[in-house]
Amino acid sequence: MTRALGSPRLPVRQEDPDYGYTPVPCTLTPVALVDFSYPQALADGELVKAVQEYVQAAGDGDDVITRVSGIKFGGWPTWHLTDPYDICCLTCGAPCRLLFTVASDTTTDIAVGRWGDFRIFACPAGDGNGYIFDQH
């Protein structure tokens, strides 16, 4: 379902000579996609075989199935810098779920840190346990 949004308000333009950042109006273009967990986390079967064939055909390494350009809501975290590990809730210790990712990418002209990702994880127990912010 697509819903048209009103025009964004124009930002107040302020140039900072030290950084050169100038806000500009932009739009979001949501695109539905399917991603998978890291191949080692998939159960054995036909899906694993199909995902491994896709990874080989893409030639981008194992993380091609989770590392998407731009901004992603939900899905699986990328592990392009480290081996996979659980991001656990600081309150209850439960493994958290990926809520949001901003990925560095030349297509979208986004750079996070030294070409990483900014991720937000949420505890499955609820909002009362807070969120974990992670730069990977």
Side-chain angles (χ1 to χ4, degrees), residues 107-122:
T107 306
T108 57
D109 201 24
I110 293 174
V112 177
R114 292 185 175 176
W115 211 248
D117 295 343
F118 173 72
R119 309 179 305 183
I120 300 174
F121 291 85

Side-chain angles (χ1 to χ4, degrees), residues 21-126:
Y21 294 128
T22 302
V24 295
C26 63
T27 60
L28 295 177
T29 306
V31 176
L33 59 90
V34 175
D35 69 345
F36 298 94
S37 65
Y38 205 73
Q40 290 83 339
L42 296 172
D44 288 334
E46 290 300 313
L47 179 60
V48 171
K49 184 178 176 184
V51 168
Q52 288 172 337
E53 288 172 2
Y54 174 75
V55 167
Q56 276 187 330
D60 256 350
D62 286 347
D63 211 36
V64 68
I65 59 176
T66 57
R67 188 156 172 77
V68 297
S69 302
I71 298 170
K72 176 173 82 169
F73 290 93
W76 301 96
T78 180
W79 298 105
H80 64 282
L81 298 176
T82 66
D83 288 333
Y85 60 93
D86 285 336
I87 305 290
C88 295
C89 175
L90 301 175
T91 303
C92 71
C96 292
R97 293 186 207 134
L98 181 65
L99 183 65
F100 178 77
T101 302
V102 176
S104 295
D105 183 74
T106 55
T107 306
T108 57
D109 201 24
I110 293 174
V112 177
R114 292 185 175 176
W115 211 248
D117 295 343
F118 173 72
R119 309 179 305 183
I120 300 174
F121 291 85
C123 178

